[in-house]
Amino acid sequence: MTISPKRFLADLHTLRSFGASGVGKGVVRPAYSAVEIASRRWLAGRMQEAGLEVRFDALGNLFGLAGEKSLLIGSHSDSQPEGGWLDGALGVIAGLEIARASKEEGGPPISVVSFQDEEGRFGVLTGSDVWTGRLPMSEADGLLDSGGQTLRSARERMKLGAERSVPHDLFSGYLEMHIEQGPVLDSSGDRIGVVTDIVGIRNVQITFTGRQNHAGTTPMYLRKDAFQALSAFNTRLNERFSEVVTPTTVWTIGHVDVHPNASSVVPGKVVFTLQWRDADKERLSDMERILRQICNEIAGDFGIVVDLEAVMGIDPTAMDARMQQTLETAAEELAPGQWRKMPSGALHDASNVANVVPSGMLFVPSIGGISHAFDEDTDEEDLILGLEVLAQAALSL
Amino acid sequence: MTISPKRFLADLHTLRSFGASGVGKGVVRPAYSAVEIASRRWLAGRMQEAGLEVRFDALGNLFGLAGEKSLLIGSHSDSQPEGGWLDGALGVIAGLEIARASKEEGGPPISVVSFQDEEGRFGVLTGSDVWTGRLPMSEADGLLDSGGQTLRSARERMKLGAERSVPHDLFSGYLEMHIEQGPVLDSSGDRIGVVTDIVGIRNVQITFTGRQNHAGTTPMYLRKDAFQALSAFNTRLNERFSEVVTPTTVWTIGHVDVHPNASSVVPGKVVFTLQWRDADKERLSDMERILRQICNEIAGDFGIVVDLEAVMGIDPTAMDARMQQTLETAAEELAPGQWRKMPSGALHDASNVANVVPSGMLFVPSIGGISHAFDEDTDEEDLILGLEVLAQAALSL
């Protein structure tokens, strides 16, 4: 199968022209925006030219079908409100090029997909959520974006006409190529990452309520300072998590609101989030047990009240063993010694699709680890290498 | 000298009726508001009835003069935007009662003052700042409140007419009674505090700039998390400050802004304030040296950039030794074993007045340590005991 790096890059740049914005190679192409719908129609045209059967489902997921049971390759082509040119677009155009090349040379049947609203204008991975049955269409229709619009009104704007469902059993498996969106490959010098698992996420909002006081007249020993409680919680959490985590486990206190947030007032309350991610569901639960225990300790030590909201989460998803093996073999052949196995710390459509067909994922480096920003980028050599590894794996499957 | 607790409490309640608001005994009487000007005219009337010579200076500070060189007693009668009924009002009405009782019985000459804008609608201790010469009137006139009004336009609303300056050498000394505004007396069970010093304050805004990253894809070892740097800074600060502080030293991180403040993003920046207070200027400087050193250490350990704004501050003010001794003697006579010497952690007009005449201060308990809030209160028995100690001290001086 002779893929064309030139045609692949040309299509990728054309897709970027829909919503090209900001500095560098920035893109503004949120799901269901006018420019996003236009890009999806252009993509459908390219699929048709490649001899694929174009099908939109009711949500707006776009499939280019090979006409018989086939491997599905793709990702998503919507962007963050301020996004980069690669993100999901890379995986969609890679799928298009491989399906096209295979069709031209009578290779194995390969289909392409661009899921809708992966970036979560309305939900999280909304398109693949609905396609895989995780989220009923009726529920999805009621989802609101930050401006208060319903998903139903947004998808009606697509005026799909002949929408049709796309059964899962049309596909023998799913491959997704994506930029890493993190710094691991870029900082290690590896050029390909074969994804072992898409990590699970747990997220909880915690409130510490102490006592708001005058910062001049309240002696240290009579304070119930909510910020001091948070700092002690954080220190203890880092110590105790270190006993159970692996080098790929991550945890973050990313959101902190201090009340009343005035330099002359002892903080009476802090509201903060703790998020943690790991590929092992057991470990996610161990970490939750530890954090709850520390909350109790801090409540006692500082004389404060601790409130935990419900812990929200998404479970980890392992990639299919055969898919991993095939990607590893292709990576070792085309980039010997320059690839690694790694978990994905970000969510991807593959974590949904893995529930309905065997799935695999491949990463290429993100320069500086930057993503979801106008200056997201990857060397074109790495994009092409990723395409070649993906094509090789598709052939072997 | 026979003071009248009943008349004293009646005047205090009448003063509260100007701006009575909110729950409990709340008061809304900010400097130069219509109701505050009305209360100041009522106070002037009470001074006149007591046989004192009423004089407003250009800023609106109100004096009731005894007509010869005299002891000055008072405080301020403006309130916070949401304040309590006592705060500075207590000290003004106490001064009025003592001056009146002394006048009635031919006792020593005693004058009264209510300083304007102690609560800092325009500055900090604005009225006593100007009267003591710390702040030139021309500069004060340009000060703006949070709504963008100038102090000049506010004071013109008082339509003072016959304003006259009040020379410092009319007074032999200054006594100020005030609620403690903190929990020390209330929690120890003492009923009187004799103030040794009004503590000095240092305040600095610090920015830690790390690197904003995806909370899923960025491994812990590659992060430059500004919130983690702040937590480590705080822990180290508490350890190292403990080597130089006394039990009355206080320090507070009261204001914290985390950027971008999202649960899925590693914080790239935190901006926070550190404020510390102590009666010893040397110790304030030692603490500054320590915090600067820790900033350098944290910058190195976390690979972040640290920016310190200019350190702002007010130096500590010792109360006059003879004034302290006289207040202590009166307290021991009227409340044996139920009083203590203590620093004031809050600023008061006395810290300005001490620069022009010998000054002393006396505290009564704040229930629950609450102040600058509608539910600020003190037992009436404690208010009366405070008045009696103050009167006794005034007689002795």
Side-chain angles (χ1 to χ4, degrees):
Chain A
M1 176 162 63
T2 319
I3 51 170
S4 164
K6 203 175 148 187
R7 189 168 57 177
F8 159 72
L9 289 174
D11 278 350
L12 204 49
H13 280 284
T14 304
L15 179 49
R16 195 228 149 195
S17 72
F18 292 89
S21 192
V23 294
K25 296 173 180 165
V27 163
V28 174
R29 194 169 60 226
Y32 304 108
S33 62
V35 77
E36 197 277 328
I37 294 171
S39 74
R40 212 158 268 267
R41 299 218 177 276
W42 169 81
L43 260 175
R46 293 300 273 166
M47 289 173 180
Q48 200 153 30
E49 287 163 26
L52 302 166
E53 182 203 338
V54 171
R55 205 178 290 182
F56 282 101
D57 70 9
L59 195 94
N61 294 315
L62 167 60
F63 292 82
L65 300 176
E68 52 190 307
K69 185 140 187 162
S70 60
L71 179 68
L72 181 66
I73 305 182
S75 186
H76 64 96
S77 53
D78 61 309
S79 86
Q80 284 279 324
E82 292 194 355
W85 72 304
L86 299 170
D87 204 312
L90 172 64
V92 174
I93 300 296
L96 172 66
E97 176 54 29
I98 295 170
R100 182 163 51 195
S102 194
K103 197 89 179 175
E104 283 168 353
E105 305 186 8
I110 291 174
S111 298
V112 195
V113 64
S114 169
F115 289 108
Q116 180 58 295
D117 196 27
E118 194 267 355
E119 299 291 5
R121 174 174 165 193
F122 291 96
V124 179
L125 313 178
T126 321
S128 56
D129 265 359
V130 169
W131 185 64
T132 59
R134 186 192 175 98
L135 178 70
M137 190 70 204
S138 54
E139 261 183 52
D141 264 347
L143 293 173
L144 300 174
D145 70 1
S146 62
Q149 266 195 52
T150 61
L151 187 147
R152 184 180 182 83
S153 69
R155 73 183 178 89
E156 279 169 353
R157 219 170 304 134
M158 289 190 73
K159 299 192 183 64
L160 291 167
E163 68 200 40
R164 288 172 60 192
S165 68
V166 178
H168 304 147
D169 63 6
L170 285 179
F171 309 112
S172 55
Y174 175 66
L175 284 180
E176 181 170 358
M177 168 156 121
H178 206 283
I179 53 167
E180 181 202 333
Q181 302 186 285
V184 173
L185 295 175
D186 189 49
S187 67
S188 70
D190 286 322
R191 299 181 65 197
I192 296 285
V194 175
V195 175
T196 53
D197 312 81
I198 298 176
V199 303
I201 304 182
R202 297 287 182 272
N203 200 88
V204 64
Q205 179 171 298
I206 304 176
T207 302
F208 286 176
T209 306
R211 203 160 53 201
Q212 180 175 326
N213 277 127
H214 190 296
T217 59
T218 315
M220 301 307 276
Y221 68 94
L222 287 174
R223 294 186 178 195
K224 294 181 177 182
D225 183 325
F227 175 75
Q228 290 299 321
L230 169 59
S231 176
F233 169 84
N234 177 62
T235 303
R236 218 172 285 184
L237 196 75
N238 289 342
E239 283 165 15
R240 302 263 276 280
F241 273 4
S242 72
E243 297 163 11
V244 300
V245 298
T246 75
T248 58
T249 314
V250 294
W251 63 99
T252 307
I253 292 176
H255 181 97
V256 179
D257 281 336
V258 173
H259 300 266
N261 216 25
S263 57
S264 289
V265 184
V266 178
K269 189 166 82 163
V270 294
V271 180
F272 65 99
T273 58
L274 176 65
Q275 185 182 93
W276 62 110
R277 306 192 189 208
D278 194 86
D280 179 355
K281 200 174 163 181
E282 286 295 307
R283 184 170 295 113
L284 290 172
S285 300
D286 284 349
M287 293 170 80
E288 180 173 341
R289 192 178 38 69
I290 289 170
L291 87 87
R292 285 184 184 274
Q293 199 176 325
I294 296 175
C295 278
N296 286 337
E297 294 170 15
I298 293 288
D301 293 357
F302 283 78
I304 61 165
V305 175
V306 174
D307 290 302
L308 277 93
E309 301 286 310
V311 174
M312 310 299 284
I314 295 167
D315 283 339
T317 311
M319 294 293 96
D320 179 74
R322 181 166 152 259
M323 292 284 186
Q324 283 187 57
Q325 185 55 57
T326 308
L327 287 166
E328 287 169 24
T329 304
E332 183 58 26
E333 195 180 318
L334 295 169
Q338 289 188 294
W339 64 278
R340 61 161 57 199
K341 296 164 73 162
M342 61 186 296
S344 168
L347 280 176
H348 294 290
D349 290 311
S351 59
N352 276 327
V353 180
N355 293 317
V356 295
V357 294
S359 297
M361 271 201 90
L362 174 156
F363 280 164
V364 292
S366 291
I367 295 173
I370 296 163
S371 180
H372 289 182
F374 287 147
D375 50 347
E376 164 195 297
D377 209 358
T378 299
D379 282 337
E380 295 202 342
E381 288 73 19
D382 287 333
L383 298 179
I384 292 166
L385 179 64
L387 174 70
E388 288 167 345
V389 172
L390 196 68
Q392 173 90 350
L395 259 188
S396 314
L397 281 166
Chain B
M1 173 161 66
T2 319
I3 51 172
S4 163
K6 202 175 148 189
R7 188 167 58 177
F8 159 72
L9 289 175
D11 279 349
L12 204 48
H13 281 284
T14 304
L15 180 49
R16 195 227 149 197
S17 71
F18 294 89
S21 192
V23 295
K25 297 174 178 164
V27 164
V28 174
R29 193 168 61 226
Y32 304 108
S33 61
V35 78
E36 197 278 330
I37 294 171
S39 74
R40 212 158 268 266
R41 298 218 175 276
W42 168 82
L43 260 175
R46 294 299 275 164
M47 289 173 180
Q48 198 153 30
E49 287 161 27
L52 301 167
E53 181 202 338
V54 171
R55 205 177 289 181
F56 283 100
D57 70 8
L59 195 93
N61 294 316
L62 166 61
F63 292 83
L65 300 176
E68 51 191 307
K69 186 144 187 158
S70 60
L71 180 68
L72 181 66
I73 305 182
S75 186
H76 65 96
S77 53
D78 62 310
S79 86
Q80 284 278 323
E82 293 195 356
W85 73 304
L86 299 171
D87 204 314
L90 171 65
V92 174
I93 301 296
L96 172 65
E97 176 55 29
I98 295 170
R100 181 163 52 194
S102 193
K103 198 91 181 175
E104 284 168 353
E105 304 185 8
I110 291 174
S111 299
V112 195
V113 64
S114 169
F115 289 109
Q116 180 58 294
D117 196 28
E118 194 268 354
E119 299 291 5
R121 174 174 166 193
F122 291 96
V124 180
L125 313 179
T126 322
S128 56
D129 264 358
V130 170
W131 184 64
T132 59
R134 185 192 176 96
L135 177 70
M137 190 71 202
S138 55
E139 261 183 53
D141 265 345
L143 293 174
L144 300 174
D145 70 2
S146 61
Q149 266 194 53
T150 62
L151 187 147
R152 183 178 183 87
S153 70
R155 73 182 178 88
E156 278 169 353
R157 220 172 303 134
M158 290 190 72
K159 296 191 184 65
L160 291 167
E163 68 201 41
R164 288 171 58 193
S165 68
V166 178
H168 304 147
D169 63 7
L170 286 178
F171 309 112
S172 56
Y174 175 67
L175 284 180
E176 180 170 0
M177 168 154 120
H178 207 282
I179 53 168
E180 181 202 333
Q181 303 186 285
V184 174
L185 296 174
D186 189 48
S187 66
S188 70
D190 285 323
R191 299 180 65 198
I192 296 285
V194 175
V195 175
T196 53
D197 312 80
I198 298 176
V199 304
I201 304 182
R202 297 285 182 275
N203 200 87
V204 64
Q205 178 171 297
I206 304 177
T207 302
F208 287 176
T209 306
R211 202 161 52 199
Q212 180 176 327
N213 276 127
H214 190 297
T217 59
T218 316
M220 301 307 276
Y221 69 93
L222 286 176
R223 295 184 177 196
K224 295 181 177 181
D225 183 327
F227 175 76
Q228 290 299 321
L230 169 59
S231 177
F233 170 84
N234 177 63
T235 303
R236 218 171 285 185
L237 196 76
N238 289 343
E239 284 166 14
R240 302 264 277 280
F241 273 4
S242 73
E243 296 163 11
V244 301
V245 298
T246 75
T248 58
T249 314
V250 292
W251 63 100
T252 308
I253 292 176
H255 181 97
V256 179
D257 281 335
V258 173
H259 300 266
N261 216 27
S263 56
S264 289
V265 184
V266 177
K269 189 166 82 163
V270 294
V271 181
F272 65 98
T273 57
L274 176 66
Q275 185 183 92
W276 61 109
R277 305 191 189 209
D278 194 87
D280 179 355
K281 199 173 162 181
E282 285 295 308
R283 184 170 295 111
L284 290 173
S285 300
D286 284 349
M287 292 170 80
E288 180 174 338
R289 193 179 36 72
I290 289 170
L291 87 88
R292 285 183 184 275
Q293 199 175 328
I294 296 175
C295 278
N296 286 337
E297 295 170 13
I298 293 289
D301 292 357
F302 283 78
I304 62 164
V305 175
V306 174
D307 290 301
L308 278 94
E309 302 286 309
V311 174
M312 309 299 283
I314 295 167
D315 282 339
T317 311
M319 294 293 95
D320 179 75
R322 182 168 152 258
M323 291 285 185
Q324 284 188 57
Q325 186 53 58
T326 308
L327 287 166
E328 287 169 24
T329 304
E332 183 57 28
E333 196 179 320
L334 296 168
Q338 290 189 293
W339 64 277
R340 62 162 57 200
K341 297 164 73 161
M342 63 187 294
S344 168
L347 280 177
H348 295 290
D349 290 311
S351 59
N352 276 327
V353 181
N355 293 317
V356 296
V357 294
S359 297
M361 271 200 91
L362 175 156
F363 280 163
V364 292
S366 291
I367 295 173
I370 296 164
S371 180
H372 289 181
F374 288 148
D375 50 346
E376 165 196 294
D377 209 0
T378 300
D379 283 338
E380 294 201 344
E381 289 72 19
D382 286 333
L383 297 179
I384 293 166
L385 179 65
L387 174 70
E388 289 167 345
V389 171
L390 195 67
Q392 173 89 350
L395 259 189
S396 314
L397 281 167

Short mmCIF file of all heavy atoms in Angstrom, two decimals, chain A residues 160-187:
data_model
loop_
_atom_site.label_atom_id
_atom_site.label_comp_id
_atom_site.label_asym_id
_atom_site.label_seq_id
_atom_site.Cartn_x
_atom_site.Cartn_y
_atom_site.Cartn_z
N LEU A 160 -28.97 17.43 8.19
CA LEU A 160 -28.35 16.24 7.62
C LEU A 160 -29.21 15.57 6.57
O LEU A 160 -28.71 14.94 5.65
CB LEU A 160 -28.04 15.26 8.74
CG LEU A 160 -26.92 15.77 9.66
CD1 LEU A 160 -26.84 14.94 10.92
CD2 LEU A 160 -25.59 15.76 8.90
N GLY A 161 -30.52 15.70 6.70
CA GLY A 161 -31.39 15.04 5.73
C GLY A 161 -31.36 13.54 5.92
O GLY A 161 -32.04 12.99 6.78
N ALA A 162 -30.49 12.89 5.18
CA ALA A 162 -30.53 11.43 5.13
C ALA A 162 -29.66 10.77 6.19
O ALA A 162 -28.83 9.93 5.90
CB ALA A 162 -30.09 10.97 3.73
N GLU A 163 -29.86 11.15 7.44
CA GLU A 163 -29.06 10.54 8.50
C GLU A 163 -29.43 9.06 8.68
O GLU A 163 -30.59 8.68 8.55
CB GLU A 163 -29.27 11.31 9.81
CG GLU A 163 -30.69 11.15 10.36
CD GLU A 163 -31.05 12.25 11.35
OE1 GLU A 163 -30.68 13.42 11.10
OE2 GLU A 163 -31.66 11.92 12.36
N ARG A 164 -28.42 8.25 8.97
CA ARG A 164 -28.66 6.81 9.15
C ARG A 164 -27.73 6.31 10.23
O ARG A 164 -26.61 6.78 10.39
CB ARG A 164 -28.37 6.05 7.86
CG ARG A 164 -29.42 6.27 6.77
CD ARG A 164 -28.95 5.64 5.46
NE ARG A 164 -28.72 4.20 5.62
CZ ARG A 164 -28.08 3.46 4.72
NH1 ARG A 164 -27.58 4.00 3.63
NH2 ARG A 164 -27.94 2.16 4.91
N SER A 165 -28.20 5.32 10.97
CA SER A 165 -27.34 4.78 12.01
C SER A 165 -26.24 3.93 11.38
O SER A 165 -26.36 3.47 10.24
CB SER A 165 -28.16 3.94 12.99
OG SER A 165 -28.62 2.79 12.33
N VAL A 166 -25.15 3.77 12.12
CA VAL A 166 -23.99 3.02 11.63
C VAL A 166 -23.71 1.90 12.64
O VAL A 166 -23.19 2.16 13.72
CB VAL A 166 -22.76 3.95 11.49
CG1 VAL A 166 -21.55 3.16 11.03
CG2 VAL A 166 -23.07 5.10 10.53
N PRO A 167 -24.09 0.65 12.28
CA PRO A 167 -23.94 -0.45 13.25
C PRO A 167 -22.48 -0.73 13.60
O PRO A 167 -21.59 -0.59 12.75
CB PRO A 167 -24.54 -1.66 12.51
CG PRO A 167 -25.27 -1.10 11.34
CD PRO A 167 -24.64 0.20 10.99
N HIS A 168 -22.25 -1.13 14.85
CA HIS A 168 -20.88 -1.42 15.29
C HIS A 168 -20.29 -2.62 14.55
O HIS A 168 -19.07 -2.67 14.33
CB HIS A 168 -20.86 -1.71 16.80
CG HIS A 168 -21.45 -0.60 17.62
ND1 HIS A 168 -22.15 -0.82 18.79
CD2 HIS A 168 -21.47 0.74 17.43
CE1 HIS A 168 -22.56 0.34 19.29
NE2 HIS A 168 -22.17 1.31 18.46
N ASP A 169 -21.17 -3.57 14.14
CA ASP A 169 -20.60 -4.81 13.59
C ASP A 169 -20.12 -4.65 12.14
O ASP A 169 -19.70 -5.60 11.51
CB ASP A 169 -21.57 -5.98 13.75
CG ASP A 169 -22.87 -5.75 12.99
OD1 ASP A 169 -22.96 -4.73 12.24
OD2 ASP A 169 -23.79 -6.56 13.14
N LEU A 170 -20.18 -3.41 11.64
CA LEU A 170 -19.51 -3.14 10.35
C LEU A 170 -18.00 -3.16 10.51
O LEU A 170 -17.27 -3.21 9.53
CB LEU A 170 -19.92 -1.75 9.83
CG LEU A 170 -21.32 -1.59 9.23
CD1 LEU A 170 -21.54 -0.13 8.79
CD2 LEU A 170 -21.47 -2.52 8.02
N PHE A 171 -17.52 -3.08 11.78
CA PHE A 171 -16.08 -2.87 12.00
C PHE A 171 -15.42 -4.00 12.78
O PHE A 171 -15.97 -4.51 13.76
CB PHE A 171 -15.85 -1.54 12.72
CG PHE A 171 -16.57 -0.38 12.06
CD1 PHE A 171 -17.63 0.25 12.67
CD2 PHE A 171 -16.21 0.02 10.78
CE1 PHE A 171 -18.31 1.29 12.05
CE2 PHE A 171 -16.88 1.06 10.14
CZ PHE A 171 -17.94 1.70 10.77
N SER A 172 -14.22 -4.34 12.33
CA SER A 172 -13.45 -5.41 13.00
C SER A 172 -12.56 -4.84 14.10
O SER A 172 -12.08 -5.57 14.96
CB SER A 172 -12.58 -6.12 11.97
OG SER A 172 -11.76 -5.16 11.30
N GLY A 173 -12.32 -3.56 14.07
CA GLY A 173 -11.44 -2.93 15.07
C GLY A 173 -11.35 -1.44 14.81
O GLY A 173 -11.91 -0.93 13.83
N TYR A 174 -10.65 -0.74 15.71
CA TYR A 174 -10.54 0.73 15.61
C TYR A 174 -9.11 1.14 15.93
O TYR A 174 -8.53 0.68 16.92
CB TYR A 174 -11.51 1.39 16.59
CG TYR A 174 -11.41 2.91 16.68
CD1 TYR A 174 -11.76 3.71 15.60
CD2 TYR A 174 -10.99 3.53 17.85
CE1 TYR A 174 -11.68 5.10 15.69
CE2 TYR A 174 -10.91 4.93 17.95
CZ TYR A 174 -11.26 5.71 16.86
OH TYR A 174 -11.19 7.08 16.94
N LEU A 175 -8.55 1.99 15.07
CA LEU A 175 -7.22 2.56 15.34
C LEU A 175 -7.34 4.08 15.36
O LEU A 175 -8.01 4.66 14.50
CB LEU A 175 -6.21 2.15 14.26
CG LEU A 175 -5.65 0.73 14.30
CD1 LEU A 175 -4.67 0.53 13.15
CD2 LEU A 175 -4.97 0.43 15.64
N GLU A 176 -6.70 4.70 16.33
CA GLU A 176 -6.74 6.16 16.42
C GLU A 176 -5.31 6.67 16.62
O GLU A 176 -4.60 6.25 17.52
CB GLU A 176 -7.63 6.60 17.60
CG GLU A 176 -7.73 8.13 17.73
CD GLU A 176 -8.80 8.59 18.74
OE1 GLU A 176 -9.50 7.73 19.32
OE2 GLU A 176 -8.91 9.82 18.93
N MET A 177 -4.93 7.59 15.73
CA MET A 177 -3.65 8.29 15.90
C MET A 177 -3.97 9.68 16.46
O MET A 177 -4.95 10.31 16.05
CB MET A 177 -2.94 8.41 14.56
CG MET A 177 -1.77 9.36 14.55
SD MET A 177 -0.60 8.93 13.22
CE MET A 177 -0.58 10.41 12.25
N HIS A 178 -3.12 10.16 17.37
CA HIS A 178 -3.39 11.44 18.01
C HIS A 178 -2.06 12.04 18.43
O HIS A 178 -1.09 11.31 18.64
CB HIS A 178 -4.30 11.23 19.24
CG HIS A 178 -5.13 12.42 19.60
ND1 HIS A 178 -4.63 13.51 20.25
CD2 HIS A 178 -6.46 12.67 19.39
CE1 HIS A 178 -5.62 14.41 20.42
NE2 HIS A 178 -6.74 13.93 19.91
N ILE A 179 -2.02 13.35 18.55
CA ILE A 179 -0.83 13.95 19.18
C ILE A 179 -0.89 13.60 20.67
O ILE A 179 -1.96 13.43 21.24
CB ILE A 179 -0.78 15.48 18.99
CG1 ILE A 179 -2.09 16.14 19.44
CG2 ILE A 179 -0.48 15.82 17.53
CD1 ILE A 179 -2.00 17.65 19.56
N GLU A 180 0.30 13.51 21.29
CA GLU A 180 0.33 13.08 22.69
C GLU A 180 -0.36 14.07 23.62
O GLU A 180 -0.94 13.71 24.62
CB GLU A 180 1.79 12.90 23.14
CG GLU A 180 1.92 12.43 24.59
CD GLU A 180 3.28 12.75 25.20
OE1 GLU A 180 4.26 12.84 24.45
OE2 GLU A 180 3.35 12.93 26.43
N GLN A 181 -0.26 15.38 23.30
CA GLN A 181 -0.81 16.45 24.16
C GLN A 181 -0.11 16.54 25.50
O GLN A 181 -0.64 17.11 26.45
CB GLN A 181 -2.32 16.26 24.40
CG GLN A 181 -3.12 16.22 23.13
CD GLN A 181 -4.61 16.17 23.40
OE1 GLN A 181 -5.15 15.15 23.80
NE2 GLN A 181 -5.28 17.29 23.19
N GLY A 182 1.09 15.96 25.58
CA GLY A 182 1.88 16.03 26.81
C GLY A 182 3.35 16.02 26.41
O GLY A 182 3.68 15.92 25.21
N PRO A 183 4.25 16.11 27.37
CA PRO A 183 5.67 16.31 27.08
C PRO A 183 6.53 15.04 27.09
O PRO A 183 7.74 15.13 26.93
CB PRO A 183 6.10 17.22 28.24
CG PRO A 183 5.25 16.77 29.38
CD PRO A 183 3.94 16.28 28.80
N VAL A 184 5.93 13.86 27.27
CA VAL A 184 6.75 12.67 27.50
C VAL A 184 7.61 12.33 26.29
O VAL A 184 8.83 12.16 26.40
CB VAL A 184 5.87 11.47 27.92
CG1 VAL A 184 6.69 10.19 28.00
CG2 VAL A 184 5.19 11.76 29.26
N LEU A 185 7.00 12.23 25.10
CA LEU A 185 7.77 11.88 23.89
C LEU A 185 8.76 12.99 23.56
O LEU A 185 9.92 12.73 23.27
CB LEU A 185 6.82 11.62 22.71
CG LEU A 185 5.90 10.40 22.84
CD1 LEU A 185 4.94 10.33 21.65
CD2 LEU A 185 6.70 9.11 22.95
N ASP A 186 8.28 14.23 23.62
CA ASP A 186 9.14 15.36 23.26
C ASP A 186 10.37 15.42 24.17
O ASP A 186 11.47 15.68 23.70
CB ASP A 186 8.34 16.66 23.38
CG ASP A 186 9.09 17.86 22.81
OD1 ASP A 186 9.59 17.75 21.67
OD2 ASP A 186 9.17 18.90 23.51
N SER A 187 10.20 15.15 25.45
CA SER A 187 11.34 15.29 26.36
C SER A 187 12.22 14.05 26.36
O SER A 187 13.39 14.13 26.67
CB SER A 187 10.87 15.65 27.78
OG SER A 187 10.16 14.59 28.35
#
